[in-house]
């Protein structure tokens, strides 16, 4: 069984930072201070994802107006290809219902294509192919990504604006 533990302080969040830093490209991740600051943000939730007594991954979720934004999601490499990703997404969709996430365009690599197909198999569809993830800070660049959701948003422009303002603080 997969279960989630909310990490509510900087010390607990720092325990997963090294994995986050190794997995996400620099342009697509927060600095260590920015990541640890999530502990103080009432709209952001960092969860350790566990199976039995083992930490198998983590996710960062934002509560926004009428939906949740899955900013980062990782199943640790040693636990991949064991159906944990599917179970986790199923649990997240039960808990948060309306979810939106970003993913790399499938044309970038075989891994990006596999990731996109994974999300599609698990109830997500592309809602914007020309989405620009804002920069995470000085010296970093905005990134062209796809925006996906497990529901049909009514006003995409408003939704994107809220993600940019709340998650990326621009």
């Amino acid at each position: 069984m997969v279960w989630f533990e909310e990490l509510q302080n900087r010390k607990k969040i720092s325990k997963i930072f090294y994995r986050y830093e190794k997995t996400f490209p620099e342009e697509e991740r927060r600095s260590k201070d920015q990541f640890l600051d999530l502990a103080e943000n009432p709209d952001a939730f960092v969860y350790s994802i566990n199976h039995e007594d083992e930490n198998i991954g983590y996710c960062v979720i934002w509560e926004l107006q009428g939906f949740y934004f899955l900013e980062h999601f990782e199943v640790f490499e040693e636990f991949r290809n064991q159906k944990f990703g599917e179970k986790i997404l199923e649990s997240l969709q039960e808990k948060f219902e309306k979810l939106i996430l970003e993913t790399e365009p499938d044309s970038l690599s075989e891994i990006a294509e596999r990731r996109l197909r994974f999300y599609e198999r698990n109830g997500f569809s592309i809602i914007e192919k020309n989405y620009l993830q804002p920069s995470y800070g000085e010296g970093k660049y905005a990134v062209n990504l796809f925006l996906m959701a497990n529901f049909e948003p009514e006003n995409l422009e408003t939704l994107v604006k809220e993600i940019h303002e709340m998650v990326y603080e621009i």
Side-chain angles (χ1 to χ4, degrees), residues 84-129:
F84 285 123
E86 292 174 13
K87 292 173 187 169
I88 293 164
L89 279 183
E90 182 179 319
S91 294
L92 288 173
Q93 290 180 81
E94 285 174 12
K95 183 175 176 73
F96 299 108
E97 286 186 40
K98 293 182 176 183
L99 278 172
I100 293 179
L101 57 87
E102 302 162 332
T103 193
E104 295 172 320
D106 53 346
S107 60
L108 286 183
S109 68
E110 184 180 327
I111 291 172
E113 182 178 351
R114 287 178 59 207
R115 190 175 296 119
L116 177 71
R117 301 297 166 243
F118 164 76
Y119 287 128
E120 288 176 333
R121 280 193 315 276
N122 287 281
F124 289 82
S125 57
I126 298 170
I127 58 172
E128 179 59 72
K129 286 189 173 187

Side-chain angles (χ1 to χ4, degrees), residues 27 34 40 43-44 47 114 127 140:
E27 302 302 328
Q34 289 172 323
E40 281 99 42
D43 299 315
Y47 291 98
R114 287 178 59 207
I127 58 172
K140 295 185 179 184

Side-chain angles (χ1 to χ4, degrees), residues 32-152:
K32 186 171 185 174
D33 285 338
Q34 289 172 323
F35 195 75
L36 297 179
D37 285 349
L38 293 172
E40 281 99 42
N41 191 314
D43 299 315
F45 304 90
V46 181
Y47 291 98
S48 170
I49 303 168
N50 305 288
H51 175 67
E52 296 175 354
D53 291 331
E54 206 160 11
N55 177 227
I56 63 169
Y58 62 88
C59 63
V60 177
I61 296 179
W62 289 79
E63 183 175 5
L64 302 176
Q65 294 294 319
F67 68 96
Y68 292 87
F69 180 69
L70 180 57
E71 180 185 13
H72 294 292
F73 167 49
E74 178 182 8
V75 173
F76 299 141
E77 190 171 1
E78 61 269 28
F79 297 103
R80 293 182 189 155
N81 300 312
Q82 298 178 44
K83 303 289 185 197
F84 285 123
E86 292 174 13
K87 292 173 187 169
I88 293 164
L89 279 183
E90 182 179 319
S91 294
L92 288 173
Q93 290 180 81
E94 285 174 12
K95 183 175 176 73
F96 299 108
E97 286 186 40
K98 293 182 176 183
L99 278 172
I100 293 179
L101 57 87
E102 302 162 332
T103 193
E104 295 172 320
D106 53 346
S107 60
L108 286 183
S109 68
E110 184 180 327
I111 291 172
E113 182 178 351
R114 287 178 59 207
R115 190 175 296 119
L116 177 71
R117 301 297 166 243
F118 164 76
Y119 287 128
E120 288 176 333
R121 280 193 315 276
N122 287 281
F124 289 82
S125 57
I126 298 170
I127 58 172
E128 179 59 72
K129 286 189 173 187
N130 297 311
Y131 174 76
L132 191 63
Q133 177 198 57
S135 164
Y136 271 107
E138 192 174 319
K140 295 185 179 184
Y141 302 98
V143 181
N144 290 312
L145 298 173
F146 287 169
L147 202 57
M148 300 185 79
N150 67 345
F151 68 101
E152 190 65 45

Side-chain angles (χ1 to χ4, degrees), residues 3-9 12-13 39 41-42 44-48 50 95:
W3 55 281
F4 300 85
E5 175 190 0
E6 185 178 349
L7 306 178
Q8 297 179 321
N9 63 54
K12 286 185 176 185
I13 291 174
N41 191 314
F45 304 90
V46 181
Y47 291 98
S48 170
N50 305 288
K95 183 175 176 73

